[in-house]
Amino acid sequence: MTTTTNNGQIWMFRFLLTLTVVLYAVNAADVSGRAFSPLHILKNLHREPPPPARSQFNTKNVETNWFQARLDNFNSSDTRQWWMRYMANNENYVPGGPLFIYIGAEWEITPGWATGGHAYDMARHHKGYLVYTEHRYYGASRPTTDVSFENLKWLNVDQALADLAAFIQWFKATTPGLADSKVILVGGSYAGTMAIWMRQKYPHLVTGSWASSAPLLAKVDFVEYKEVMGYAYKTIGGQDCYDRLEEAFAEMERLVEIGDVSRMEREMQFCNKVDLNNQLDVWNMFSTFGNTLGGIVQYHWPGNIESVCDVMTDSRYHDALAAFTAFIRQQWGSYCYGHKYVDTLYYYTNTQWASGDSIWRQWYYQTCVDFGYYQSSGSPNQPFGKSFPVELYTQMCADAYDKSLTMQKIEENIQKTNEKYGALDPQVTNVFYTHGSIDPWAAMGITESNNEFAQAYVIPLHSHCADLYSVSDRDTDEMKYAKQKVWDLVDKWLKE
């Protein structure tokens, strides 16, 4: 009886949520015809690191192939299988050469990382086979008929690592000349985390791993993200820029407190009036502002942060909010802004593969069951206010998937991840950790190491995954050092 009641309540919630989103979308279209969606922001925070330029030495297109993986790697009685996509480049391969694997994570893989970048250069140098693997449940690697909550139970990092282990064994066994070859893993961001944990969990399969911008400490309330963001705006853009951002968020919070956000609604072109009695809407609104600034820091290249600060410190704007509004309008173009909680929740409740937006449902689910990493305003040591607490993001887990995903359950999930893989003490050898000093994810990774077999290096004034590209004349001395270091380490690992 209890189960029936709970299922009925969940069904009714989802029905009302869908109806609310549809009605809102119609209303927003009546206002402007074009509504800015949270998806624009999400794409900047979780995506394939921008693919490199094709190497001048690349003369052959990559091949797209498929590996038959098990649905449940840990249940011998479950014989169901699915097709995992990978892209392969054997143009430089000489039988007996090593196998380089560039790992895919929460994105759809594309050929770029198999035709250029530092991993490509190393594979070419060592006459190796280069493969780019796709993570289960992302891109075209679809193990189930849909991504309903019931069908997401096989989406976790343990299963993904087991997929990669099975792939390595199969690929070496079926590719002439690879049977006794050594394996080098390369990954950025979550894929870098996987590269480390693969070396930890399957050392007999992996010779060495390079992890760029890899978070290893799972944490629910990831307050450090916004702290590093603030540091980046201050370091690259200057104290005035930092202060103006702080003033803008303080003024927006003051307007909410006095119950009059008409200026924000008008000047930022909101699709709808803000219901100040709906705390989730208010939190979601401020979260979107913070994430807009976060995407710029996360994939900063020279000129990106500076362009924000040029606007924020422009004397033509009479106050900080006017400057911030100008920045927001630059980012969002002619769209009106859909600020409501259901606008964001919508992208996490779509359970169909047919939609290109379904990738966000999968990744958010992984945060609920594996990692947390909710980039809240919980620290006072950042300029983005205090109006998007961690409760916003944990509530999303319950509303998008299942009410069983409470704060307590999420905390337990994250604790298990840290206990299983060792957090910031993974006890591995033959790995190299690299981070950028203004990369918010570096706060969850290893930036210092006394282990000569697991070294770490921080690249000043660079951000997320910036070192995965080929050596360039534009590289700073520190960037050149990092790329040479991994080159030398890989050479050493392959010779051992």
Side-chain angles (χ1 to χ4, degrees):
M1 181 66 71
T2 301
T3 300
T4 303
T5 302
N6 288 342
N7 287 339
Q9 291 172 342
I10 292 170
W11 179 88
M12 181 58 70
F13 170 80
R14 289 176 175 168
F15 171 77
L16 292 174
L17 171 65
T18 302
L19 181 62
T20 301
V21 171
V22 170
L23 292 175
Y24 171 75
V26 171
N27 190 33
D30 290 341
V31 174
S32 71
R34 302 178 74 203
F36 177 85
S37 78
L39 184 63
H40 293 74
I41 303 302
L42 299 175
K43 284 182 176 179
N44 282 332
L45 292 174
H46 295 286
R47 58 185 170 110
E48 179 187 42
R54 189 168 184 154
S55 170
Q56 61 177 319
F57 301 106
N58 177 237
T59 59
K60 183 179 179 181
N61 291 330
V62 301
E63 295 182 358
T64 298
N65 292 312
W66 304 85
F67 164 63
Q68 196 166 31
R70 296 182 56 175
L71 177 63
D72 190 341
N73 289 291
F74 308 108
N75 182 358
S76 58
S77 64
D78 189 339
T79 59
R80 287 175 292 178
Q81 295 180 313
W82 59 282
W83 293 101
M84 183 181 103
R85 181 167 65 166
Y86 67 94
M87 296 179 179
N89 185 342
N90 66 354
E91 66 175 327
N92 300 302
Y93 173 62
V94 174
L99 173 61
F100 284 79
I101 298 180
Y102 188 92
I103 304 172
E106 76 276 23
W107 55 73
E108 180 175 2
I109 64 172
T110 60
W113 287 107
T115 60
H118 206 41
Y120 171 89
D121 297 335
M122 290 190 291
R124 176 176 175 271
H125 174 73
H126 289 285
K127 297 180 173 55
Y129 211 125
L130 177 61
V131 173
Y132 188 5
T133 56
E134 191 165 68
H135 194 295
R136 60 168 53 203
Y137 285 86
Y138 296 103
S141 298
R142 302 173 175 180
T144 52
T145 55
D146 60 28
V147 286
S148 61
F149 178 67
E150 296 76 13
N151 277 339
L152 287 174
K153 69 175 101 176
W154 299 284
L155 173 56
N156 55 65
V157 68
D158 297 337
Q159 294 282 4
L161 294 175
D163 290 341
L164 197 49
F167 173 82
I168 290 172
Q169 295 175 84
W170 169 81
F171 195 77
K172 289 180 66 177
T174 58
T175 304
L178 273 184
D180 298 318
S181 295
K182 294 184 177 181
V183 177
I184 301 296
L185 302 184
V186 179
S189 195
Y190 165 42
T193 306
M194 291 178 63
I196 300 302
W197 291 349
M198 279 295 296
R199 171 63 186 164
Q200 178 196 63
K201 194 171 184 179
Y202 302 99
H204 61 294
L205 298 178
V206 178
T207 304
S209 295
W210 171 28
S212 173
S213 302
L216 292 176
L217 173 65
K219 187 177 183 184
V220 177
D221 196 359
F222 184 12
V223 299
E224 293 86 351
Y225 191 97
K226 289 298 186 286
E227 291 178 342
V228 179
M229 271 179 61
Y231 168 79
Y233 279 106
K234 183 184 295 185
T235 302
I236 303 293
Q239 185 67 50
D240 287 347
C241 180
Y242 182 99
D243 292 343
R244 293 280 277 183
L245 287 169
E246 190 168 41
E247 291 168 15
F249 275 83
E251 175 61 12
M252 289 187 289
E253 289 181 333
R254 186 189 71 83
L255 294 175
V256 168
E257 187 174 348
I258 66 174
D260 183 6
V261 293
S262 57
R263 178 185 174 186
M264 293 169 59
E265 293 169 340
R266 180 179 66 255
E267 295 181 3
M268 292 184 179
Q269 300 177 27
F270 281 39
C271 299
N272 298 87
K273 289 187 174 300
V274 179
D275 179 1
L276 296 176
N277 293 317
N278 188 325
Q279 194 167 53
L280 288 173
D281 280 0
V282 174
W283 288 350
N284 188 71
M285 174 181 69
F286 279 100
S287 176
T288 303
F289 294 148
N291 287 341
T292 303
L293 290 160
I296 292 168
V297 170
Q298 184 165 306
Y299 284 106
H300 167 76
W301 287 100
N304 291 358
I305 290 175
E306 295 92 333
S307 68
V308 177
C309 292
D310 286 345
V311 177
M312 290 304 304
T313 59
D314 193 324
S315 60
R316 290 179 299 172
Y317 303 115
H318 58 85
D319 62 17
L321 180 52
F324 186 71
T325 296
F327 158 72
I328 286 295
R329 294 317 317 167
Q330 284 183 6
Q331 296 296 305
W332 298 351
S334 60
Y335 292 94
C336 69
Y337 168 45
H339 72 282
K340 291 180 176 291
Y341 175 71
V342 294
D343 299 337
T344 299
L345 187 59
Y346 171 78
Y347 293 99
Y348 300 129
T349 55
N350 190 345
T351 63
Q352 302 305 308
W353 288 115
S355 170
D357 300 342
S358 65
I359 185 173
W360 309 112
R361 176 170 173 82
Q362 288 92 283
W363 173 246
Y364 208 88
Y365 175 82
Q366 280 201 264
T367 70
C368 302
V369 300
D370 279 334
F371 306 119
Y373 294 147
Y374 303 123
Q375 300 154 23
S376 80
S377 58
S379 169
N381 302 315
Q382 47 85 17
F384 312 107
K386 54 187 178 182
S387 297
F388 43 103
V390 69
E391 287 79 10
L392 166 66
Y393 308 102
T394 56
Q395 182 64 45
M396 196 86 69
C397 290
D399 291 345
Y401 307 104
D402 191 81
K403 295 299 182 184
S404 64
L405 291 171
T406 62
M407 172 71 89
Q408 180 180 349
K409 180 60 177 176
I410 297 168
E411 291 276 10
E412 291 173 357
N413 292 340
I414 274 58
Q415 183 178 352
K416 288 178 182 177
T417 298
N418 286 327
E419 290 175 351
K420 188 180 301 180
Y421 293 105
L424 297 179
D425 187 22
Q427 297 295 306
V428 290
T429 60
N430 284 16
V431 301
F432 186 44
Y433 312 100
T434 55
H435 293 278
S437 68
I438 60 168
D439 177 14
W441 290 99
M444 296 293 102
I446 294 175
T447 56
E448 295 182 0
S449 174
N450 294 321
N451 182 353
E452 63 175 309
F453 301 105
Q455 301 179 48
Y457 185 71
V458 177
I459 308 164
L461 302 182
H462 283 79
S463 195
H464 202 56
C465 300
D467 54 339
L468 290 171
Y469 303 88
S470 296
V471 174
S472 167
D473 292 339
R474 297 184 298 274
D475 289 344
T476 63
D477 289 343
E478 295 88 353
M479 177 63 79
K480 290 176 182 176
Y481 174 84
K483 292 178 180 179
Q484 186 61 50
K485 183 67 174 179
V486 72
W487 187 282
D488 293 342
L489 284 171
V490 168
D491 187 60
K492 177 177 177 287
W493 298 335
L494 291 176
K495 289 178 179 177
E496 289 176 344

